[in-house]
Amino acid sequence: MVFRRWIARTHCLRSAIRSRRFIDAYHNKGLNGAQAAWAARKYRGHRVLPSTLMADLNIAKAKRALLLD
């Protein structure tokens, strides 16, 4: 029973950290849903997204455009 409580607590903490990254993306960085999901997947090490996020997003868009052309 203790193990199940530990898993539940770990899951709650991970969900809270992921939610914090989404909040940071929407509120502070001004990203839309798809951009926020991309950023939350790419940057997993911190509770907030880095200040270089917009430059990284533009680079990713350029790479994707080259692949689609």
Side-chain angles (χ1 to χ4, degrees), residues 44-58:
R44 292 179 178 236
H46 303 286
R47 291 185 178 140
V48 296
L49 300 171
S51 59
T52 61
L53 173 67
M54 296 310 285
D56 293 342
L57 185 62
N58 291 333

Side-chain angles (χ1 to χ4, degrees), residues 61-69:
K61 280 183 185 179
K63 285 181 182 178
R64 184 180 169 135
L66 287 174
L67 291 175
L68 294 177
D69 287 342

Side-chain angles (χ1 to χ4, degrees), residues 4-32:
R4 288 186 79 179
R5 277 188 256 146
W6 181 78
I7 290 174
R9 182 168 186 228
T10 304
H11 180 71
C12 288
L13 291 173
R14 287 181 186 165
S15 297
I17 291 169
R18 186 167 186 256
S19 297
R20 180 67 184 124
R21 282 193 298 260
F22 272 101
I23 291 168
D24 186 52
Y26 283 121
H27 183 69
N28 296 336
K29 306 291 193 267
L31 302 180
N32 64 23

